[in-house]
Amino acid sequence: MSVRFRSSYLIIVIATGGVVLFSVILNKTLLPRKNAFYYIPSAKYIKFVSGTFYSLAAHLLFVKAVLDYPEEIPHKTYYIISLCRIVVSLDHNIKEAFFFGGVVAPKTPKEIKEGISFLEEGLKVFPSDWRIPFWIGFNYLQLGNYSRAIELYKYASSLPKSPPFLKSNLPFLYYRAGSVEEGVIYLNSLLCSIKNKHLKDIIKKKIQWLKDLSFLKKKVEDYYILYHSWPSSLDELVKKNLLDKIPEDTFGRGFYLDYSKGKIPLVKSRF
């Protein structure tokens, strides 16, 4: 047996032993048990124990976070986010850890805010990756903060390799945010920068959709000025000759008045 072969064999044995040893440490310190205390070692400690195999250790920890997710664990979301934070500290190229810890794990509003904080750490590391502001924007959507979601989706859509749907779906966010007029202005400016004819046609249709919503809102306000009460439906605008007809809803199943938020109706699209 040559010296080179024996050296290579020895390295493989040591590496395999290191992985086994690290697995035992993980099982003893992090394996989910009922009523157990969930100790999470620091990234420095794991890097010291794993040596040059810290990237492998990061992947093992990420697998552990995924496997632990269905378990009944005290403060599970914060535990998962902490594991994912260590994963990206060891190997920041495991971007899936940002998604899992920042988007998948959080459920309650408080947890979602913690997920946003974690994702913002990722945005500092990967400022040109469109997925991270998109994920943060998704979390703001869950919190009902549509204005902040719009800002993040607009930023994500400006980054390299971002998919076209980020631009074409923005009208729905403006609609949900109640900023229809602002959406029309933004999309009109966006048209100048788009060369794809298919995408351009979609955005033109969505501009018209937002304009119809704005137009109907104005007519509802005109009705109130004239009759000192709000119409019960859009059909009343036609009956009172404020409209010739209700515009066709190109993206929903028809425009309608929504009184669920109070006495003042909102013009909405039925999806």
Side-chain angles (χ1 to χ4, degrees):
M1 186 182 290
S2 66
V3 174
R4 180 178 294 180
F5 179 80
R6 279 183 292 178
S7 299
S8 301
Y9 181 76
L10 183 61
I11 290 171
I12 291 170
V13 170
I14 292 172
T16 305
V19 171
V20 172
L21 175 63
F22 186 69
S23 298
V24 171
I25 292 171
L26 280 180
N27 281 332
K28 286 185 176 181
T29 58
L30 294 173
L31 187 65
R33 296 183 184 90
K34 289 186 177 180
N35 302 319
F37 175 72
Y38 292 90
Y39 168 69
I40 302 175
S42 68
K44 281 186 178 180
Y45 171 74
I46 294 174
K47 198 165 187 177
F48 172 76
V49 171
S50 57
T52 57
F53 297 98
Y54 60 87
S55 181
L56 174 61
H59 281 84
L60 287 172
L61 272 177
F62 181 57
V63 170
K64 177 166 183 58
V66 173
L67 293 176
D68 281 355
Y69 181 67
E71 299 289 335
E72 291 297 324
I73 299 172
H75 310 293
K76 179 169 69 175
T77 296
Y78 301 100
Y79 166 74
I80 296 294
I81 291 175
S82 296
L83 280 180
C84 289
R85 189 172 269 122
I86 292 173
V87 169
V88 295
S89 295
L90 294 169
D91 187 346
H92 62 259
N93 288 313
I94 308 176
K95 295 180 186 178
E96 294 83 359
F98 284 113
F99 176 72
F100 193 75
V103 180
V104 176
K107 299 299 178 193
T108 67
K110 187 177 179 181
E111 291 171 354
I112 290 170
K113 288 175 183 176
E114 183 67 24
I116 288 172
S117 297
F118 177 49
L119 287 168
E120 285 173 343
E121 294 171 20
L123 192 56
K124 291 176 183 177
V125 180
F126 299 103
S128 60
D129 190 325
W130 67 268
R131 293 175 298 175
I132 296 179
F134 174 69
W135 296 335
I136 299 173
F138 175 79
N139 275 352
Y140 275 109
L141 278 181
Q142 294 189 88
L143 294 174
N145 190 338
Y146 298 108
S147 298
R148 182 64 180 137
I150 287 170
E151 291 174 10
L152 287 154
Y153 275 40
K154 282 170 68 174
Y155 175 63
S157 70
S158 70
L159 295 176
K161 298 182 180 180
S162 62
F165 76 81
L166 283 178
K167 291 184 174 73
S168 62
N169 282 354
L170 275 172
F172 293 104
L173 295 183
Y174 280 110
Y175 163 69
R176 295 295 295 274
S179 306
V180 173
E181 292 82 4
E182 186 182 340
V184 171
I185 293 169
Y186 169 72
L187 290 173
N188 273 321
S189 65
L190 185 66
L191 275 178
C192 302
S193 64
I194 294 176
K195 295 179 181 179
N196 184 291
K197 186 179 182 303
H198 177 66
L199 183 57
K200 210 161 191 171
D201 289 341
I202 291 174
I203 290 178
K204 282 180 180 178
K205 285 182 180 178
K206 290 185 177 179
I207 288 173
Q208 187 57 52
W209 177 68
L210 289 176
K211 283 182 175 179
D212 288 339
L213 283 164
S214 180
F215 173 71
L216 289 172
K217 178 186 174 186
K218 177 68 171 59
K219 290 299 177 181
V220 169
E221 290 168 353
D222 289 345
Y223 182 99
Y224 184 82
I225 292 169
L226 287 170
Y227 301 103
H228 307 292
S229 64
W230 298 105
S232 59
S233 69
L234 292 175
D235 290 328
E236 284 194 42
L237 302 179
V238 178
K239 290 176 183 177
K240 298 293 185 180
N241 296 317
L242 288 170
L243 280 179
D244 291 331
K245 64 177 183 178
I246 300 170
E248 180 188 355
D249 186 348
T250 52
F251 288 100
R253 293 182 288 110
F255 297 114
Y256 71 103
L257 292 182
D258 179 14
Y259 277 94
S260 63
K261 301 295 182 182
K263 294 181 179 180
I264 300 175
L266 300 174
V267 180
K268 288 194 172 183
S269 184
R270 202 182 303 276
F271 292 107

